[in-house]
Amino acid sequence: MFKKPYQTKAQSALRVSACRHLVQETKDTYPQTADQTPGPMPGKLQSAKFVSHVGDKGEIIYSESNEPLWFRAEVPGASSSLLVPTVYTLWQFPALLPVLWTWAPVVEKLIGGADLMVPGLVVPEHGLPDLKRGQLVAICCPGSLAAQAVGVLTVDTREIQRVAGAKGKAVLVAHTYRDHLWEAGSKAELPEIPLGAGSAEAAVPAEPADETPALEALRLEEDSSGPQSQPAPAVTAAEMDALLLTTLKQVMATVLDQRHATPLLPLGASTLYSTYMLANAPARGAELDIKKSSYKKLAKFLKAAEKQGLLGLKDIRGEPHVKSLNWQHAELSGYQPYAVKLAAPAAKPASVPQSGPAPAARISVTELLKPPQALRPLFDLVCGEPATGYFTRQQARGVLESYIKQQALVDPQAPRNVRLDHHLCDGLLTKAEYSKLSVYPRDQLQARLQEKMTLYTQLDIPGRAPTTRIGRPPTVDVVCEKKMGNKVVTRALGLEAYGVDPAAVAKELRVACASSTSVDPVPGKKTVAVLVQGHQVKALARLLEKQHGLPADLIKVTDKSGKAKK
């Protein structure tokens, strides 16, 4: 969360009531150390709102000497907002959190932005402590209780010990020693805290005898988890600027030359970057990243290229588009394209979701019907037992057909009509119709049966037990609307109903669209909305359908941007 610089607002002194609430909250959250919890004194603490580099929002609590003591945020892996101690607080009170152990070389990877993998854990002789998924833990090295990282468990420790050779992520790291939150304090070096201080588990090997196998397994795990956990080579802003310009010229000289690009123009800026530039960057050297350049934003880089005369821009629906490319530019006349490793067309979408290389299993939605009390006798006669369950539409149709056949209710003079008996009259007719009708068309009788039954929806989400709810399935609303001035944003609401993580969707959109994204709470509702800049309706709907298995008929698209569709 703090591996890259974050933005903060001005600090303000905590009120007396806020300080008291903080004291009580720390005692309630960490009852095992209630007598040691650092008690904030009224007028002695400061707080400031922050926004991380990925859009996570929260609050940091500082001491009188401007030392960050706590931060409150929705930590990845946790179900709600947590009050998390920083390493400065854990160094003063090492028993505040349960401890997991790992080797010093692994900690270096954690500081670089990786999460702690299961093979990187050091298991004491008596086993790991009994901890549950979603619990906060401190990460230390054998021989010292000085916390070097804080994170959230992704799996119960019993499961880790039960499965031999288990792999995957064990802890999602939220804060580490030497990250940017640590740099906001006194930048104190790691203290020496002997084992046995406090009540934390201390029975771990003092010498790293088994370090190598764990690190080798950890490297393999990081390779399979994607490029996020691999440390990127250091590159200056000037080098990244040159790399961006070189890649743009490479694209103009090869895949978007005058013959191929003309029918594609105007071309969206995000499409140019994600589809063409990322795929044609030099194979050697640093990975192409607009945020590591001096421009920081794709629009600024393209405006600089426009000033050089390489291309022309125009704004469409609030997003910059390339309207023309200058293939006669002096810098392209003698340009020699470099060799690029071509990727198969099916491999392009792999640059969209960094959280999973394969498309998710499809979510299944089934409509079910339940007979009301007036129709129970009819269903009981056909089923041979009390009909208390659910029926599909086809099954309900079959029940009525079986009842008509069993009771010989087909009108011999008009086989398409059904003679009404008391069960059909009680269940399907109104009071006014009861004395007037004696026969009824069979197809209309089937339609009325399904109208009288109560509609339910069964959701079968992969990895979860099927759930049934009354009414039609909820929709995921994808809305594109205009905000301040010409700014257009696209937002998605209702993802939680289908087990889709809004934070993961925001992260995937940020890469796919090369646009800024955020996850914001919806006022008055217990839900959040994923926001992405620009007219990204198609990209968002495609991502939800292909990468998260959401059926297309459950995605409701509304365009309020005021732009006519072409």
Side-chain angles (χ1 to χ4, degrees), residues 18 20 92 103 114 156 173 183 189 210 227 246 293 335 390 400 425 432 471 479 482 492 565:
R20 291 175 180 171
Q92 298 179 39
W103 305 113
D156 296 352
V173 177
E183 290 183 354
E189 292 300 323
D210 300 324
T246 300
S293 67
Y335 179 76
Y390 303 99
L400 182 56
C425 290
V479 182
K482 185 179 292 186
K565 294 184 179 180

Side-chain angles (χ1 to χ4, degrees), residues 191-204:
E192 290 293 335
I193 303 178
L195 300 178
S199 58
E201 293 286 347
V204 290

Side-chain angles (χ1 to χ4, degrees), residues 345-382:
K348 289 183 179 178
S351 63
V352 177
Q354 293 186 352
S355 59
R362 191 168 182 81
I363 297 172
S364 174
V365 181
T366 307
E367 286 190 347
L368 300 175
L369 300 173
K370 191 171 185 179
Q373 192 65 35
L375 284 170
R376 290 282 176 83
L378 187 152
F379 277 77
D380 292 347
L381 285 172
V382 175

Side-chain angles (χ1 to χ4, degrees), residues 26-83:
T26 51
K27 290 181 179 180
D28 294 341
T29 307
Y30 309 101
Q32 73 277 17
T33 54
D35 56 336
Q36 293 184 339
T37 300
M41 300 298 292
K44 298 296 184 180
L45 292 181
Q46 304 282 326
S47 70
K49 302 291 184 181
F50 78 90
V51 179
S52 72
H53 68 285
V54 294
D56 296 329
K57 299 179 180 179
E59 179 186 21
I60 301 175
I61 309 297
Y62 297 88
S63 67
E64 187 179 13
S65 59
N66 206 34
E67 194 96 299
L69 300 178
W70 304 82
F71 65 92
R72 189 195 308 276
E74 292 187 0
V75 181
S79 58
S80 60
S81 178
L82 297 179
L83 182 65

Side-chain angles (χ1 to χ4, degrees), residues 51-190:
V51 179
S52 72
H53 68 285
V54 294
D56 296 329
K57 299 179 180 179
E59 179 186 21
I60 301 175
I61 309 297
Y62 297 88
S63 67
E64 187 179 13
S65 59
N66 206 34
E67 194 96 299
L69 300 178
W70 304 82
F71 65 92
R72 189 195 308 276
E74 292 187 0
V75 181
S79 58
S80 60
S81 178
L82 297 179
L83 182 65
V84 184
T86 65
V87 291
Y88 292 113
T89 299
L90 290 172
W91 292 345
Q92 298 179 39
F93 304 95
L96 203 59
L97 292 178
V99 175
L100 292 181
W101 307 90
T102 190
W103 305 113
V106 179
V107 172
E108 292 298 323
K109 293 183 177 290
L110 304 186
I111 294 174
D115 293 316
L116 179 59
M117 303 295 177
V118 172
L121 289 172
V122 178
V123 182
E125 292 182 1
H126 54 75
L128 295 171
D130 186 10
L131 304 175
K132 301 296 182 183
R133 177 182 179 181
Q135 192 169 348
L136 276 174
V137 294
I139 301 173
C140 303
C141 289
S144 175
L145 284 175
Q148 303 207 37
V150 184
V152 177
L153 269 176
T154 62
V155 63
D156 296 352
T157 52
R158 286 186 178 181
E159 290 296 317
I160 296 176
Q161 298 182 102
R162 185 177 63 85
V163 181
K167 294 184 178 181
K169 293 183 179 181
V171 179
L172 297 178
V173 177
H175 161 52
T176 66
Y177 162 62
R178 284 165 44 194
D179 67 3
H180 287 274
L181 182 60
W182 169 83
E183 290 183 354
S186 60
K187 301 183 181 179
E189 292 300 323
L190 197 70

Side-chain angles (χ1 to χ4, degrees), residues 208-522:
D210 300 324
E211 173 183 352
T212 303
L215 288 178
E216 290 177 352
L218 178 61
R219 293 188 188 101
L220 292 175
E221 190 73 24
E222 288 179 333
D223 292 341
S224 64
S225 65
Q228 183 180 358
S229 60
Q230 297 177 356
V235 59
T236 65
E239 291 172 340
M240 185 58 67
D241 292 350
L243 185 61
L244 285 167
L245 186 60
T246 300
T247 306
L248 177 61
K249 291 188 289 186
Q250 171 76 11
V251 169
M252 292 175 62
T254 54
V255 292
L256 287 183
D257 59 11
Q258 192 166 1
R259 182 169 62 91
H260 294 93
T262 302
L264 299 176
L265 299 177
L267 185 67
S270 59
T271 303
L272 173 67
Y273 182 76
S274 60
T275 304
Y276 296 100
M277 293 184 64
L278 290 179
N280 289 275
R284 66 183 189 279
E287 182 181 355
L288 201 67
D289 189 347
I290 190 70
K291 293 185 178 180
K292 294 181 180 179
S293 67
S294 62
Y295 305 107
K296 302 301 181 185
K297 294 183 179 180
L298 180 60
K300 290 185 177 180
F301 165 69
L302 293 178
K303 287 180 180 179
E306 184 180 33
K307 289 183 179 179
Q308 295 184 31
L310 286 169
L311 50 83
L313 296 175
K314 73 173 181 178
D315 189 78
I316 301 178
R317 295 178 180 176
E319 181 186 3
H321 282 61
V322 178
K323 66 177 182 180
S324 62
L325 294 169
N326 183 11
W327 292 283
Q328 283 72 42
H329 195 277
E331 294 189 17
L332 287 175
S333 59
Y335 179 76
Q336 294 295 327
Y338 49 79
V340 176
K341 183 180 180 181
L342 298 178
K348 289 183 179 178
S351 63
V352 177
Q354 293 186 352
S355 59
R362 191 168 182 81
I363 297 172
S364 174
V365 181
T366 307
E367 286 190 347
L368 300 175
L369 300 173
K370 191 171 185 179
Q373 192 65 35
L375 284 170
R376 290 282 176 83
L378 187 152
F379 277 77
D380 292 347
L381 285 172
V382 175
C383 298
E385 59 183 11
T388 57
Y390 303 99
F391 298 83
T392 65
R393 292 188 180 275
Q394 188 65 27
Q395 290 171 340
R397 186 180 182 87
V399 169
L400 182 56
E401 290 294 337
S402 298
Y403 180 78
I404 294 172
K405 185 176 181 180
Q406 289 176 10
Q407 304 299 322
L409 297 177
V410 177
D411 188 350
Q413 298 180 356
R416 292 187 177 182
N417 290 342
V418 176
R419 293 178 297 172
L420 302 176
D421 65 358
H422 66 285
H423 285 315
L424 292 175
C425 290
D426 291 343
L428 300 178
L429 298 186
T430 64
K431 291 182 179 180
E433 295 171 332
Y434 202 97
S435 59
K436 296 180 181 180
L437 299 177
S438 59
V439 294
Y440 206 79
R442 183 183 300 207
D443 55 347
Q444 296 182 29
L445 198 65
Q446 287 283 4
R448 182 167 289 202
L449 172 73
Q450 300 199 9
E451 288 176 3
K452 292 288 185 179
M453 297 180 73
T454 306
L455 177 64
Y456 285 79
T457 300
Q458 177 178 298
L459 298 180
D460 191 359
I461 301 174
R464 297 188 179 187
T467 58
T468 305
R469 54 179 290 167
I470 192 169
R472 296 192 176 277
T475 59
V476 173
D477 295 321
V478 176
V479 182
C480 183
E481 56 190 352
K482 185 179 292 186
K483 291 297 185 182
M484 298 173 293
N486 252 352
K487 184 178 180 182
V488 175
V489 297
T490 305
R491 57 188 173 92
L493 301 94
L495 299 174
E496 299 90 340
Y498 295 99
V500 178
D501 183 8
V505 172
K507 183 177 179 181
E508 293 164 0
L509 280 173
R510 190 179 307 123
V511 177
C513 304
S515 299
S516 174
T517 62
S518 64
V519 179
D520 297 334
V522 179

